[in-house]
Structures are given as structure tokens and as C-alpha cells.
Amino acid sequence: MQAVTVSLTQVNEVQQFVNLVSRFPFDVDVVSGRYTVNAKSLLGVYSLDLGRPLQVLLYSDDCEELKKQLEPYMSGE
């Protein structure tokens, strides 16, 4: 498992993020505080506090391509 921190502040960013992670075959979760949701669920991601950075958990050892594509959403780690 690997983790990155992202910031999703606009509606179109949330939609693009969910579409992006949905293309990968492994599980991806988003954590905000004590809440964890499936990153491939648009409603799940919208239910989180998007005003603060989100931790994205990648459940794969081979996730470098996804991490590269997530760079535009990453906040300073």
C-alpha cells in the first residue's frame, strides 16, 4: 500500500479524480479525518470535507502510473 495527499477543491476536479482512479484495477480509498471511502465512488468522495487535504491510499505495489497521473491534484506532502 502507498499513500499520497491530494487537494480537490472544485467539482470538475472531483469528477476527473474519480474517473482517473476508476481506470485502474486495484482498490483506492480516500481518507478524510476518521472517514474512509472508496475513491471510485463519486458520491463517497463528495461526502468528504473537500476543504482540507485528502489522503489517497493505493492498494498496489505497482501504482507508479496512477501516482504520476495524480500529480496535478497533489498538495505539498
Side-chain angles (χ1 to χ4, degrees):
M1 178 182 77
Q2 297 186 37
V4 297
T5 302
V6 300
S7 181
L8 304 172
T9 56
Q10 299 177 355
V11 172
N12 65 330
E13 287 180 332
V14 174
Q15 293 171 333
Q16 292 168 356
F17 171 81
V18 171
N19 289 338
L20 173 62
V21 298
S22 294
R23 295 194 311 234
F24 290 83
F26 48 85
D27 290 335
V28 182
D29 286 337
V30 179
V31 179
S32 176
R34 62 184 179 108
Y35 299 103
T36 302
V37 298
N38 182 347
K40 298 177 183 182
S41 166
L42 192 59
L43 286 176
V45 176
Y46 275 132
S47 72
L48 299 174
D49 178 6
L50 300 177
R52 52 195 265 191
L54 305 170
Q55 185 177 28
V56 179
L57 304 178
L58 311 169
Y59 297 99
S60 174
D61 292 329
D62 185 26
C63 58
E64 293 307 313
E65 180 60 30
L66 176 55
K67 286 173 66 175
K68 180 179 176 184
Q69 292 185 34
L70 287 175
E71 284 178 6
Y73 306 104
M74 287 186 192
S75 55
E77 294 182 70

